[in-house]
Amino acid sequence: MLPQCYNVAISCEALVRIPLLGSNHHRQQYRPCPSIGPRRLMMGSNYESNGIWRHPCPMNMNVVTSSRSSCPINAVVLGEALASEESELVFPSKDFSGQAMVASLEKYLEMYKRSIEDPAGFWSDIASQFYWKEKWGKQVYSENLDVRKGDIKIEWFKGGITNICYNCLDRNVETGNGDKIAIYWEGNEPGSDGSLTYSQLLQKVCQLANYLKDVGVKKGDAVVVYLPMLMELPITMLACARIGAIHSVVFAGFSSESLAQRIMDCKPKAVITCNAVKRGPKVIYLKGIVDTALAESAKSGISIDVCLTYENQSAMMRGETKWQEGRDIWWQDVVPKYPTTCEVEWVDAEDPLFLLYTSGSTGKPKGVLHTTGGYMVYTATTFKYAFDYKPSDVYWCTADCGWITGHSYVTYGPMLNGATVIVFEGAPSYPDPGRCWDIVDKYKVTLFYTAPTLVRSLMRAGDEYVTRYSRKSLRVLGSVGEPINPSAWRWFFNVVGDSRCPISDTWWQTETGGFMITPLPGAWPQKPGSATFPFFGVQPAIVDEKGLKLEGECSGYLCVKSSWPGAFRTLYGDHERYETTYFKPFPGYYFSGDGCSRDKDGYYWLTGRVDDVINVRYHSYLPWAAYSKMKLSIWDFVFITNKFPVIRTCGSGHRIGTAEVESALVSHPQCSEAAVVGVEHEVKGQGIYAFVTLADGVPYSEELRKSLVVTVRKQIGAFAAPDKIHWAPGLPKTRSGKIMRRILRKIASRQLDELGDTSTLADPSVVDQLIALSDS
């Protein structure tokens, strides 16, 4: 039931609108949520006594269903530039909505309603569109998300027999798409490229699958994959799936120590790698890293008999590669000799598909385990709707298959829909920051999915690297990995998409398998920086510290009620950790570990990991001298204490999401990127420490430092002003664009002997530069 202040009845026949209160919502989400009266639980049925169904998310119907002309706030329609920060809403054009898969909010609500009230029927109908050797039983799914009621268990389509490789490849070939391009491969160097049709891809997958069977890999065995973004990477994933083996892809940038940890945990039958790769001008010797990892794992009693190695001649010739006879085998010497057909190993829907290790707070990586049937159905469906996929689309996701995005939205999701995908080996700024748009024009890319960090990096390089290319083929843009700040969203929309491409700003996780909160292009207006509304079957809940579900406009911890087909089933070999990490914090819910705000129109705004929340506390009866040391003005003093000149307590303090401060900093015209971490503070408990990268050509200065602080104070409040601004020529990032905040925290705290492994960074030299600028 919706709370009274969002009492908007929704039915298929009518939408009852309420007046829009109107304000700058994209700014409000970066302020601490004010008290909006008693916090009540949203409980019970979604039906009112009059029989009208209500959406579990409190939408402001006057916003999400109106046209731009009837909406009394600043808005634009696709095709119009979103030039001003005052423009809050981007409405789909009639032309776009007219051809969209979900063309209206009414259609979305109709589908969403069924997905919540009849999840078994909703997902069964979708699952039936795939090939099943045997259908599942009467019970489509079973779940327990409440640790108080026993072990956590999630199952979908159990008893159903299928194979995801068959559905990705054979099914497409059999339906007449054999000659359609499955993969366009773009190498590190411009002009180095290749392609495979679905028929050719199937043949290569079968050859590798036959080889793996020949060396003893069978159903249920693990295979560790340490490959760069060559076509051989998705080929390997699909070959493992074809024979029922469990692939564990490790990002080809992780250190030998990290790789050894993963090998020792899953005990694979084989390791697949290549001798080297070039990323930009740099050569990375992958085989040497694998050799060290295998030696380390052997010391712990885990010996690997097969190391299949692809010769990547563009980076290194085989004669220069270190070799261990009897264990190491060249891919090109054996795999092409095998038959191009291979029998499918049919598996249960709940049989494991892959392991993907994600960082753990204790230092031990967590082996996230996904199974076959539910993951297959969910990734295919989310890809189809979130990108409004058409058979003529050419799709490019810039993520590496070493991360979940590469699993779900480079390999499985697109190919289950018969899509043409781009696989890119190189760096997006090599040989210059226009490389992405050169690739877009070369392959006529229509769907482009990337990370906010890459967007901000390309934004920093300047518009000229974008505008020199046509980009006319682009139809839908996408964002993944972390919350995208509104200024970067606007640049992505205005400059890259020429103000005509909607942005699917997706929220999801390694653990969820697929999108959870995401726009559906054409269905409703977007707000810059908001992930908007939940996907079909997803019931998000924002809860407070006590686990009470909050209603209306609020901020808190993002959880999910009930399971969905793509959910991970356990942590490999550690189900207790699985339950403790994800289900014990708020019994009855899956706890995402993320913070989230919901605005008055029902739009969801992700604020980042809750361990990236800074607690700034102002204690009672502190002398003015303590506040003056914090460099606060007398007016800040009054603002904080509500007293002049006597100081009294202001409560427990403020919880500030790092994403909020980062977004405020990046809104400054001379700041191109920022990363914020918390550090110990003798007065406030935690202080705000900001690493700031300036626009090209802008010099460091004390005046600029002060200007940045003022910007934060104006947009959020004095309590959020950074205590320290650390100039950063660059930020420590993985190749996928993820900022390594662990390293930033150590630098900020001067714990330089605890930086840990920096080999996974795209540019490890950034760390030394940041240390050198620590006292500047």
Side-chain angles (χ1 to χ4, degrees), residues 408-430:
S408 298
Y409 300 113
V410 172
T411 303
Y412 291 118
M415 290 186 185
L416 287 164
N417 283 279
T420 296
V421 303
I422 307 290
V423 172
F424 177 44
E425 177 191 30
S429 58
Y430 178 80

Side-chain angles (χ1 to χ4, degrees), residues 425-475:
E425 177 191 30
S429 58
Y430 178 80
D432 64 49
R435 184 68 186 278
C436 285
W437 322 123
D438 177 52
I439 294 172
V440 166
D441 282 0
K442 178 177 179 178
Y443 297 105
K444 302 295 184 290
V445 173
T446 57
L447 311 176
F448 180 71
Y449 190 40
T450 193
T453 48
L454 178 57
V455 172
R456 289 191 289 268
S457 175
L458 298 176
M459 179 180 171
R460 180 188 181 195
D463 295 1
E464 63 272 17
Y465 286 104
V466 183
T467 56
R468 70 172 60 162
Y469 297 96
S470 166
R471 296 160 288 109
K472 294 297 183 185
S473 60
L474 288 173
R475 194 172 66 82

Side-chain angles (χ1 to χ4, degrees), residues 203-246:
Q203 291 172 1
K204 288 188 175 293
V205 166
C206 287
Q207 287 180 316
L208 179 59
N210 284 322
Y211 167 77
L212 290 174
K213 290 199 297 184
D214 204 27
V215 297
V217 178
K218 58 186 183 298
K219 179 182 177 181
D221 288 338
V223 175
V224 165
V225 184
Y226 191 72
L227 283 168
M229 287 295 280
L230 305 172
M231 285 191 283
E232 283 67 26
L233 179 45
I235 286 171
T236 301
M237 295 165 67
L238 290 161
C240 290
R242 190 170 192 85
I243 63 173
I246 305 166

Side-chain angles (χ1 to χ4, degrees), residues 21 95 153 261 284 398 415 441-442 503 571 599 751:
L21 300 179
D95 289 343
K153 184 183 75 169
Q261 283 182 321
I284 301 173
T398 62
M415 290 186 185
D441 282 0
K442 178 177 179 178
I503 299 175
L571 293 177
D599 69 19
Q751 296 172 314

